Amino acid sequence: MFDVYQARRIIEAASLRLGMAGADGWMVPVLESLREMEAAVAAGDLAGLLHADRRFHEGIVAGARSQRVARFYRNLQAEIRLTRVWRGEREPSTVFFARHKEVVTAIESGDLRKAEDLLVGIIDDGEARIRSSLEAPPTDLTT
């Protein structure tokens, strides 16, 4: 199951590099989704925040300018959503948004290494939360 996170890291990092090296305009969907995240945080809308998060990462992948890569990435995301177990703590929405904003700030400043490190950190932390939740003892639903 965890190889989907490795594939995700590879696709997003490579797409980020291609996007930053390529044509103007690739950041438009990323910026739109960041604004959606901010609005969702302000409204306390977790579903909206998670939807904007998915669009944010799809926007990063759009930097590859490949429909095939985008389709493959959407399939990976579907696999990840099917295997998620959300027990335990979730990162506070304000922190979640701030981390994504840091990625955008690094991109806008042209700092590829920092943007990639921040992006991969978000992915790594998501994988760590899944691993941790799977290692935790099951909750007794009878009490």
Side-chain angles (χ1 to χ4, degrees):
M1 169 189 135
F2 293 106
D3 65 323
V4 296
Y5 280 93
Q6 180 63 7
R8 181 180 174 195
R9 270 186 288 279
I10 291 166
I11 290 171
E12 286 196 45
S15 296
L16 175 67
R17 287 190 296 274
L18 290 167
M20 287 183 72
D24 293 334
W26 78 277
M27 280 286 293
V28 170
V30 175
L31 295 172
E32 287 173 357
S33 63
L34 188 66
R35 284 190 291 275
E36 290 174 14
M37 275 188 198
E38 187 172 30
V41 169
D45 178 7
L46 181 59
L49 177 63
L50 295 176
H51 176 74
D53 173 59
R54 189 182 85 241
R55 289 192 60 241
F56 178 93
H57 292 278
E58 288 173 354
I60 294 289
V61 171
R65 292 178 293 286
S66 167
Q67 290 181 5
R68 184 176 306 275
V69 170
R71 193 169 42 250
F72 181 72
Y73 182 77
R74 284 191 302 273
N75 289 338
L76 279 177
Q77 285 290 25
E79 285 184 54
I80 289 170
R81 282 192 303 276
L82 287 172
T83 59
R84 280 198 174 137
V85 179
W86 290 118
R87 296 183 303 194
E89 292 298 313
R90 177 182 280 284
E91 191 170 55
S93 295
T94 54
V95 173
F96 187 83
F97 167 73
R99 293 184 73 192
H100 288 74
K101 187 173 182 173
E102 288 177 329
V103 172
V104 168
T105 300
I107 293 168
E108 290 176 332
S109 71
D111 191 341
L112 172 60
R113 180 173 301 287
K114 184 173 183 180
E116 188 172 338
D117 287 348
L118 291 166
L119 183 64
V120 168
I122 290 170
I123 297 166
D124 289 348
D125 290 350
E127 179 181 7
R129 280 192 301 278
I130 296 295
R131 286 183 184 275
S132 176
S133 70
L134 291 173
E135 292 167 358
T139 304
D140 183 1
L141 299 176
T142 60
T143 58

